[in-house]
Amino acid sequence: MSGIPAGAGQLLGKRLGKFEILALLALGGTAEIYLARIGGAAGFEKYVVVKCLHDHLADDAEFVRMFLDEARLAAHLDHSNIVQTMELGEHEGRYYMVMEFLAGLSLAMVVRRASERLPGGRLPAPLVLNVLAQACAGLHYAHEKTANGKPLNIVHRDISPQNLVVSFEGVVKVVDFGIAKAELRETHTRSGTIKGKFAYMSPEQCVANNVDRRTDVFALGVIAHELLTGTRLFKRASPYETYQAVLECDVRPPSTLGAGTDPALDPVIMRAVTKDKDARYPTAEAFGDALLGYLHHRGIRPSDGRTRHVPRSKSA
């Protein structure tokens, strides 16, 4: 397969210190993701995820700096709705970071399973709002994070269903701060450079203009709109058309799309996806409060971050 980097998977069966590499879980543009195990006395064992920079990038100073930046940033984040990074190491000249193993599915996969198995093919609205409220909590923590009394000004910039993981216990985790913007990074995005997935970018992110935490709020709003309606909001046939759709930001209220969405949810979602960022929720926390407020006013009680609605595979 031509898309697989040369040497990919070569850590399988090896040990990185106390970590025994068991399986290759995924390949990204810059790194390999492995399942690993830590063994101990009296039958103790724990599973973790190891993210290792591709072998062919190990000597590229720019990619190494970006990888180390990601690890240092992740080390500052300790929240129940953000994947935990445990340590940074080096093996035969290749850096790797160790993260908690999440037994669950990406939100993208949950949506796919729901389309196959649930009546109507969509997740129930209360579940959607609960998942997004948890993501809001994790992102607000990251946005507010400080180091030595100074704001880190973190912006994830790549919020999408692929980067939200729902555990089998119903806990939502924000993952992959690889292209996050933050004050402590040694590497910074060049002016005019666009990073992220077009379909979930804010209009200002598409033109690389003054991106702040409200860009992440916009992305969460896009996800909410899509999950409630069962249709993609900005995704078009080509990246250019998707880019143009985001810039135009012509968004219809969810209830007008014939998906049975409560019209009372329209203003909650529409405020998150407005083109004018000054008119959006000022924080992810404010958006999360609005989502939970809707549930509260309708007498729907979020189940403390747990749900029985996550479609689980038989082999899980």
Side-chain angles (χ1 to χ4, degrees):
M1 296 175 62
S2 59
I4 299 179
Q10 61 180 265
L11 294 181
L12 281 171
K14 294 186 177 181
R15 295 192 68 89
L16 277 65
K18 60 186 176 182
F19 305 105
E20 178 188 358
I21 304 300
L22 301 177
L24 179 63
L25 297 178
L27 288 170
T30 62
E32 303 165 15
I33 311 295
Y34 292 94
L35 175 67
R37 177 173 56 203
I38 306 171
F44 171 86
E45 67 176 12
K46 184 177 180 66
Y47 292 93
V48 296
V49 169
V50 174
K51 182 175 182 178
C52 186
L53 198 62
H54 284 316
D55 185 53
H56 70 280
L57 298 177
D59 295 325
D60 188 311
E62 181 70 11
F63 280 102
V64 169
R65 282 195 296 270
M66 290 173 61
F67 189 84
L68 296 179
D69 270 347
E70 179 185 354
R72 283 190 289 261
L73 174 60
H76 284 275
L77 304 177
D78 185 10
H79 189 275
S80 60
N81 294 120
I82 296 177
V83 65
Q84 184 180 8
T85 297
M86 300 158 63
E87 67 177 80
L88 174 69
E90 184 180 2
H91 174 76
E92 297 179 353
R94 296 172 68 185
Y95 285 102
Y96 64 89
M97 67 179 83
V98 181
M99 300 172 287
E100 66 173 313
F101 170 66
L102 302 178
L105 301 171
S106 72
L107 182 57
M109 183 59 72
V110 171
V111 171
R112 186 180 307 170
R113 298 279 177 86
S115 69
E116 299 167 350
R117 305 181 185 188
L118 295 183
R122 289 183 290 118
L123 297 172
L127 175 57
V128 170
L129 304 189
N130 185 24
V131 166
L132 271 295
Q134 289 190 59
C136 284
L139 281 170
H140 182 69
Y141 167 86
H143 293 158
E144 292 286 304
K145 189 64 182 175
T146 62
N148 299 319
K150 297 181 179 180
L152 293 180
N153 294 321
I154 295 172
V155 185
H156 189 286
R157 296 196 296 186
D158 197 18
I159 293 298
S160 69
Q162 290 78 15
N163 285 335
L164 299 179
V165 173
V166 185
S167 78
F168 293 134
E169 285 71 41
V171 178
V172 178
K173 300 270 189 176
V174 180
V175 304
D176 198 351
F177 282 77
I179 65 168
K181 174 184 176 183
E183 294 296 333
L184 57 68
R185 297 194 76 126
E186 292 184 3
T187 56
H188 295 278
T189 302
R190 296 174 184 173
S191 178
T193 300
I194 300 173
K195 289 191 173 185
K197 301 177 183 72
F198 281 139
Y200 297 97
M201 285 186 184
S202 64
E204 66 270 14
Q205 188 177 3
C206 279
V207 294
N209 180 33
N210 296 324
V211 170
D212 61 26
R213 64 174 68 190
R214 290 169 293 184
T215 273
D216 290 342
V217 171
F218 186 92
L220 289 173
V222 174
I223 296 171
H225 193 288
E226 292 185 343
L227 297 189
L228 291 170
T229 64
T231 59
R232 298 299 300 272
L233 182 53
F234 297 121
K235 180 68 173 178
R236 300 294 187 268
S238 71
Y240 176 76
E241 291 174 290
T242 301
Y243 173 85
Q244 289 298 320
V246 175
L247 289 181
E248 293 170 10
C249 202
D250 182 15
V251 181
R252 292 174 57 189
S255 69
T256 68
L257 297 178
T261 303
D262 184 354
L265 261 177
D266 287 345
V268 176
I269 305 304
M270 294 299 286
R271 185 178 176 187
V273 293
T274 183
K275 185 173 184 177
D276 179 6
K277 67 179 180 180
D278 291 331
R280 284 178 217 148
Y281 296 98
T283 65
E285 180 180 56
F287 185 29
D289 287 345
L291 296 172
L292 294 177
Y294 168 85
L295 294 176
H296 173 74
H297 288 303
R298 271 142 192 81
I300 304 170
R301 183 176 178 272
S303 52
D304 299 323
R306 303 184 191 281
T307 178
R308 292 183 293 274
H309 296 291
V310 178
R312 185 172 180 174
S313 66
K314 294 181 180 178
S315 61

